[in-house]
Amino acid sequence: MRTKRPIRILHVISQRPDSTGSGIYLQAILRQSARRGYDNALVAAIQDGWRPALSGVKVENCHLVECTVGSCPETIVGMSDVMPYPSRRFRDLDPEALRQYLEMFAASLSSAVSAHQPDIIHSHHLWLLSSIIKKHFPDIPLVTSCHGSDLRQFRLCTHLRDRVREGCSRIDRILALSAEQKEEIMARYQLPGNKIDIAGAGYDTDIFHRDDSSAEPETPAILYAGKLSRAKGVPWLLRAVGDIERHRCHLHLVGGGSGAEFEECTAAAAELTSGCSLHGMISQHELSSLMRRSSIFVLPSLHEGLPLVVLEALACGCTVIATDLPGTREIQKQLNTRQLLLIKKPTVVDTVATRLADENHFVASLRSSIEQALDRQKSADSRPSDLSPFSWESVFSRVEKTWLKILD
């Protein structure tokens, strides 16, 4: 039987708790759980002295891991191969670097557990960090949220699969983003379906919403927000927009990146004759304002979980063009809206370098869908009738149900 004191939750993520979809998910769960009386603590990665400003968790309850792997200054090991900040890739870690990585987080976890005495640990990503938690704390219930990037690492890092699968088999409950993702988790991790709940993901209704008083620009605006990388489809989006009649639209790119792929994207953006604005990393409020001024939002990703940015753009009244992936299909299935156009995912022939077999067809599909959307105008019914299943309040209610289930 639980006491009357607040239930203590230790939230764990192996990267910065911002800048990515999983970070936004984590922050939303922190806020929602604090509002409902839970006592939160956090283990997360930081670098270069950066400190997050987070609501829902006290500063003294944040155990931040200053990542240092070997002598490499790019210290955080990213759940995606291209992160919006300097990072390393899991598949490049040698055994010694991997040992250092896990020991850093194990030490921070031990400190957090000792200080906070959590009733539940809620980790993010079905990957290495989640796989070691039960080994160190077998008596604390563990819930883990899958975000999709972990499944991609599982596919790419074949040498780590057995280790991850064995550790993740001890997790008490897993939260999936969609029914299709649940099936993939069951198949790849060899887990029974009764250990996996579908929680979905959401958007902040206070920030992302229509504002019919916002004036649209004379030249229709097309918006992309996310990492500037090949896995997100940005080079092919730039080619598609470049093929559209000059002055018919203006492209806005929001997001960061690093390395050769980021340089490839920014160089191609500079050559667009139709015009392109690079905004870099911006706040959620700035993004919502830009969405309200945009006619079309495009997310040509080759890999996604359940993309929060699609929900945010729909809430702001954009026509959204996205690759047909499990997460976007889940949104389309629930909303059944004409404002979400799905295009066929191209065949990826080289998962490491992200090379496509049918890239010309992919570019043509993007261009055709954009031109189709440009022929429309934002109308009063452009927002789907009911986005409430994707509010963070609804998502947290499903997360909380899982927490209480394992506590009972």
Side-chain angles (χ1 to χ4, degrees), residues 189-202:
Y189 290 77
Q190 300 171 8
L191 294 171
N194 60 10
K195 289 187 69 169
I196 307 171
D197 299 327
I198 300 172

Side-chain angles (χ1 to χ4, degrees), residues 162-358:
D162 290 343
R163 181 180 200 154
V164 169
R165 187 185 285 123
E166 192 277 331
C168 288
S169 68
R170 305 175 190 172
I171 296 171
D172 295 281
R173 303 294 294 187
I174 292 166
L175 298 175
L177 295 173
S178 66
E180 286 193 50
Q181 188 181 80
K182 175 178 177 176
E183 294 295 324
E184 184 174 358
I185 294 169
M186 291 167 60
R188 293 192 182 278
Y189 290 77
Q190 300 171 8
L191 294 171
N194 60 10
K195 289 187 69 169
I196 307 171
D197 299 327
I198 300 172
Y203 74 100
D204 192 327
T205 55
D206 293 332
I207 298 176
F208 297 95
H209 51 78
R210 283 286 303 257
D211 180 0
D212 294 323
S213 65
S214 298
E216 292 187 54
E218 185 174 332
T219 302
I222 299 172
L223 174 63
Y224 165 85
K227 291 187 285 287
L228 302 187
S229 68
R230 295 176 68 84
K232 290 288 186 178
V234 175
W236 299 282
L237 169 61
L238 291 166
R239 281 180 52 185
V241 173
D243 289 342
I244 295 173
E245 184 180 352
R246 189 175 181 179
H247 305 309
R248 195 176 177 199
C249 61
H250 184 91
L251 178 64
H252 296 265
L253 294 179
V254 172
S258 59
E261 292 189 19
F262 177 73
E263 294 172 4
E264 174 192 5
C265 293
T266 53
E271 295 178 1
L272 275 186
T273 57
S274 58
C276 179
S277 298
L278 289 168
H279 296 268
M281 303 293 293
I282 63 177
S283 71
Q284 293 276 282
H285 288 280
E286 290 171 314
L287 176 59
S288 66
S289 177
L290 191 52
M291 283 178 169
R292 283 188 283 272
R293 302 195 306 272
S294 300
S295 301
I296 302 165
F297 181 86
V298 188
L299 185 69
S301 294
L302 306 176
H303 316 278
E304 284 289 347
L306 197 157
L308 311 185
V309 72
V310 166
L311 299 169
E312 294 162 353
L314 287 170
C316 290
C318 295
T319 294
V320 176
I321 299 165
T323 321
D324 188 355
L325 297 168
T328 51
R329 279 198 298 275
E330 185 79 9
I331 296 172
Q332 181 65 276
K333 177 182 175 182
Q334 292 202 40
L335 299 182
N336 190 26
T337 173
R338 292 177 63 248
Q339 295 305 120
L340 175 56
L341 308 176
L342 300 183
I343 61 174
K344 182 180 178 181
K345 175 191 169 183
T347 302
V348 181
V349 294
D350 184 341
T351 56
V352 175
T354 317
R355 302 195 184 281
L356 310 182
D358 46 358

Side-chain angles (χ1 to χ4, degrees), residues 35-232:
R35 287 173 186 171
R36 299 199 193 182
Y38 291 86
D39 184 7
N40 294 316
L42 172 68
V43 170
I46 59 169
Q47 59 189 170
D48 299 330
W50 173 87
R51 291 293 186 275
L54 302 172
S55 60
V57 59
K58 298 175 183 176
V59 172
E60 59 267 28
N61 286 346
C62 292
H63 300 259
L64 304 176
V65 181
E66 283 273 13
C67 290
T68 303
V69 178
S71 59
C72 181
E74 298 177 348
T75 54
I76 289 179
V77 189
M79 286 307 305
S80 296
D81 284 352
V82 178
M83 299 293 286
Y85 44 77
S87 63
R88 297 186 74 184
R89 302 183 304 183
F90 279 103
R91 64 174 178 266
D92 294 334
L93 299 185
D94 59 31
E96 176 59 18
L98 184 62
R99 183 190 65 78
Q100 291 180 21
Y101 172 84
L102 293 175
E103 285 185 354
M104 281 191 304
F105 277 100
S108 185
L109 282 166
S110 294
S111 175
V113 167
S114 177
H116 199 63
Q117 296 293 302
D119 300 297
I120 299 174
I121 298 176
H122 186 152
S123 69
H124 292 265
H125 301 108
L126 287 168
W127 195 235
L128 286 168
L129 181 54
S130 295
S131 75
I132 68 168
I133 291 175
K134 271 296 197 181
K135 174 183 176 182
H136 292 278
F137 313 103
D139 298 327
I140 304 176
L142 173 62
V143 174
T144 300
S145 290
C146 178
H147 293 282
S149 55
D150 37 9
L151 298 176
R152 176 164 165 74
Q153 290 299 331
F154 192 91
R155 293 192 293 269
L156 289 172
C157 301
T158 56
H159 63 297
L160 297 175
R161 284 180 187 172
D162 290 343
R163 181 180 200 154
V164 169
R165 187 185 285 123
E166 192 277 331
C168 288
S169 68
R170 305 175 190 172
I171 296 171
D172 295 281
R173 303 294 294 187
I174 292 166
L175 298 175
L177 295 173
S178 66
E180 286 193 50
Q181 188 181 80
K182 175 178 177 176
E183 294 295 324
E184 184 174 358
I185 294 169
M186 291 167 60
R188 293 192 182 278
Y189 290 77
Q190 300 171 8
L191 294 171
N194 60 10
K195 289 187 69 169
I196 307 171
D197 299 327
I198 300 172
Y203 74 100
D204 192 327
T205 55
D206 293 332
I207 298 176
F208 297 95
H209 51 78
R210 283 286 303 257
D211 180 0
D212 294 323
S213 65
S214 298
E216 292 187 54
E218 185 174 332
T219 302
I222 299 172
L223 174 63
Y224 165 85
K227 291 187 285 287
L228 302 187
S229 68
R230 295 176 68 84
K232 290 288 186 178

